[in-house]
Each structure stands twice: as structure tokens, then as C-alpha cells.
DNA sequence: CAACAGGTGAACACTCATGTTCACAACGGT
DNA sequence: ACCGTTGTGAACATGAGTGTTCACCTGTTG
């Protein structure tokens, strides 16, 4: 039941970052008092939601074989499926001001950055910084989540769209004539 | 001076969407009363900032030759240069709930969507929806703006990074072996 | 049955953003 | 010198979100 509460809080706060605790409690079907019992302050709730999202990412990242050549595709596919729970992490305003959370995020980025750097020896472009590629991947994820929540993109289509677009770009290869 | 006020408001509200009007006024070096004189309510200020951003986009869009084959690259390059003023438009929470603004945005998207559809006959992939390509371009812009404001990316490098990444992807073409 | 933990609504005080009014100062035009 | 404009600070009322406490209800466990 605590899990469902966090999920509801995630979606409510993501749709409207200024939503009151009363809104969150009502959406979750619990009393505001109960919400305050579990999360004494608003920032505590936000941190719990963010922390939950980080746990979620870790729980899928540990299933990815980072030594594989398809690790990035595998990771991305799994992340796309997580949806709003993780979108919250990248989108919620002022979240980066929490140093502890920011540190945890950097900590999670590190192995992915290493993976990207390694893959730049084989399948990834070497003329782009690893951090730029990482953020391009994030941008692709973000893009897909937004399209899904807008109802324009079917969740099952999302991984294919993201991977295909981010890796191969939007140019028609057969028509490419630039250097 | 009114212009400078809007610019300041943009950056302050972008950094912290929950910033109070007092914060905005102080950052702009004017009294809160003066701010209220010019923009009676908070939403009025937000709408003014957004409207200003839209004007900015229109002012550069009218210099783009939409019949050219390089129209997209031209447009993107100009948009990258606009920076935070426009980032506000895509990022500020709850902005899409203003129907008038949303309509103006859709109105501006239309010619770009048409351009994309047209270019899908030549240089752009036909297996992706036009709206997906459009949002991928936006995601690239957003990515660049974020990197710039974080100090990781030099503004002059931004257009090249965005265009190259969005159009050609992050895969090393020479190593591509997928279908 | 008794005790206890967990959930609930009502009420309260507190803080803060907001919107408004008012009186005053600076400035330019007549 | 007069007046209208514009900006300013101070003060005030209002409303909303927040955090807290308390009395009450419910189910479980002993």
C-alpha cells in the first residue's frame, strides 16, 4: 500500500509539480494526516519518490550485462518501460538541489558513461563526448515518455523508436550526401 | 527596460519555477510594486514571458526559407542560439494548460511539420512519423540548452552537436552492421 | 474482552506568496 | 513653478499550503 502511495504521488507531482499534499493524499485515496505520518514534510515525500525511482533504476540496471555489446540497447529498452516513475527523476524542478540525490544520480551515471566510452571503440561515434551521448540517450527517453503520456506513442513502440532514432538519426541513409 | 525585466523573469523562473514574485523583482532590480503594475498577476507575468519567447521564435522563423532543402538545419541553428528564452516555453510546468499559448505553439509547429513531411520525400526517414521527428529535434535543442547552462557545452559548438546527433545518430557509421 | 497499532477527519496555528492600496520621491514636459 | 507619469517602499488583507494535535474508529493480536 505504501508502494501505491509513492506511485500516485509520482504521477500527481509529475503532472503538476506545485500540487498540494492534499491533492496527493486525495489522489491516493488516503487522508492527509496519514500522508504526513508516513512523510513528515513535503521535501521528505519528494525525496522518497525520487529515491524510489532510483531504486527502480538500480533494480533493472543490475539485470543488464554491461560487458555485452548490446548493453546500451538492453538498458535503454528496460528504462523506457519504467516510464513516469523515472521521468520524475529527470524532470522534477529543484530536485538537483538535493546534494544527496544528485550524488546518487552521478553514481549511477558513471558505469553508463564507462560503457559508452568503451563502446566508442567499436560501435559509437568517437567525435562526440561520452557525456553528450549519455544525455542524448536521456533526451530520447524523455521524448518517448512525453509522447506516451500524450497518447501519441504506443508503449510497445517506444523502445524501437528511441533506439532507432538516437542511434541512427532521422536522416534517410539512402539519401545522405553530406560528408 | 521592460525587455530586460522579461529576460530576468525568464531566467529566474526557469531556474526555479516556484520562485516568488519578490524574487523576480529583486533579481530584476525593481520593486515588487512595479512588477505588479506591469504584470497584475503571476499568470500574467508567465504568459508575458512565454509570449515573448514565441515572438522571439517567430522573429527568427521568418528569416528561414522553408522551401530550401536546408531549412531544417537553418531553423535549428537559429533556435539553438535563442537559448533559455525559448527553453522556458518547452520546460515551464503547467504552461501547456494555457489554451491560448498551446494554440499558438501548435500554430508554429504546423509549418515545421509540413516541412518535415516534405523532406521525408528526400532526406528524412519515411518510417518515422513527422511528429516524432519534430519532437526529436526539440529534444536535441533541449539537450543542448541544458548542456550549455551547465557549462559543459560551448554555445558555438551547440548547433553542430545538435544537428549532427539528431540527423546522423550516435552510432559510428563505419561500424554499423545492423540492417 | 482488553490492548494496541494504524487510519481518519476536524480543527488549529503558522508561514508565506499574493494582490491591493497609499503616500512619497524623481523626472520630463508644459 | 505646475502637473502627469513612473517607480518605490511600507503596510495591509487575504488565501492557500503546511505541519501539528486530538478524538474517534477499525481491525488485529494477546
Amino acid at each position: 500500500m505504501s508502494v501505491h502511495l509513492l506511485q500516485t504521488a509520482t504521477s500527481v507531482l509529475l503532472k503538476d509539480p506545485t500540487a498540494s499534499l492534499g491533492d496527493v493524499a486525495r489522489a491516493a485515496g488516503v487522508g492527509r494526516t496519514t500522508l504526513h505520518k508516513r512523510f513528515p514534510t513535503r521535501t521528505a515525500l519528494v525525496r522518497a519518490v525520487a529515491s524510489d525511482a532510483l531504486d527502480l533504476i538500480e533494480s533493472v540496471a543490475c539485470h543488464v550485462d554491461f560487458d555485452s555489446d548490446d548493453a546500451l540497447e538492453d538498458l535503454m529498452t528496460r528504462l523506457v518501460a519504467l516510464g513516469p516513475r523515472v521521468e520524475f527523476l529527470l524532470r522534477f524542478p529543484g530536485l538537483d538541489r538535493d546534494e544527496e540525490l544528485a550524488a546518487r544520480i552521478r553514481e549511477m551515471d558513471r558505469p553508463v558513461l564507462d560503457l559508452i566510452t568503451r563502446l566508442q571503440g567499436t560501435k559509437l561515434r568517437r567525435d562526440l563526448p561520452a557525456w553528450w551521448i549519455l544525455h542524448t540517450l536521456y533526451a530520447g527517453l524523455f521524448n518517448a515518455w512525453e509522447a506516451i503520456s500524450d497518447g501519441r506513442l504506443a508503449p510497445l513502440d517506444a523502445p524501437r523508436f528511441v533506439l532507432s532514432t538516437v542511434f541512427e538519426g532521422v536522416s534517410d541513409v539512402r539519401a545522405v550526401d553530406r560528408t
Side-chain angles (χ1 to χ4, degrees), chain A:
Chain A
M1 46 193 71
S2 171
V3 176
H4 175 257
L5 207 168
L6 277 182
Q7 287 180 0
T8 307
T10 302
S11 64
V12 172
L13 289 178
L14 195 55
K15 180 155 44 178
D16 179 15
T18 70
S20 74
L21 297 186
D23 295 333
V24 175
R26 189 152 26 82
V30 303
R32 194 169 68 95
T33 312
T34 307
L35 187 64
H36 272 101
K37 275 241 169 58
R38 202 176 294 275
F39 308 102
T41 72
R42 179 180 236 273
T43 61
L45 173 63
V46 171
R47 293 190 53 175
V49 170
S51 187
D52 175 61
L54 280 164
D55 293 342
L56 213 55
I57 296 183
E58 283 180 354
S59 74
V60 308
C62 71
H63 288 104
V64 175
D65 175 17
F66 276 75
D67 293 329
S68 160
D69 275 353
D70 295 326
L72 258 192
E73 287 85 344
D74 188 18
L75 180 62
M76 292 284 286
T77 303
R78 293 172 189 267
L79 287 180
V80 168
L82 292 185
R85 307 277 295 276
V86 181
E87 187 181 0
F88 181 90
L89 211 50
L90 284 73
R91 201 181 204 179
F92 197 77
L95 209 68
D96 48 342
R97 254 161 301 192
D98 187 315
E99 192 46 46
E100 189 175 328
L101 278 179
R104 249 188 103 182
I105 293 179
R106 280 195 303 270
E107 192 68 18
M108 298 198 41
D109 279 347
R110 205 160 43 83
V112 186
L113 273 175
D114 292 342
L115 171 64
I116 290 175
T117 304
R118 181 170 68 78
L119 290 180
Q120 282 185 304
T122 58
K123 61 195 292 187
L124 290 182
R125 289 170 60 175
R126 272 177 283 248
D127 60 333
L128 297 171
W131 62 262
W132 173 261
I133 295 182
L134 176 66
H135 284 256
T136 300
L137 295 174
Y138 285 157
L141 285 174
F142 184 83
N143 194 13
W145 287 328
E146 191 185 30
I148 290 176
S149 78
D150 284 353
R152 288 192 307 267
L153 181 61
L156 289 182
D157 286 336
R160 186 170 50 87
F161 270 54
V162 172
L163 292 176
S164 167
T165 306
V166 171
F167 282 97
E168 302 172 31
V170 299
S171 285
D172 188 341
V173 182
R174 292 161 302 185
V176 148
D177 58 350
R178 79 194 71 224
T179 55

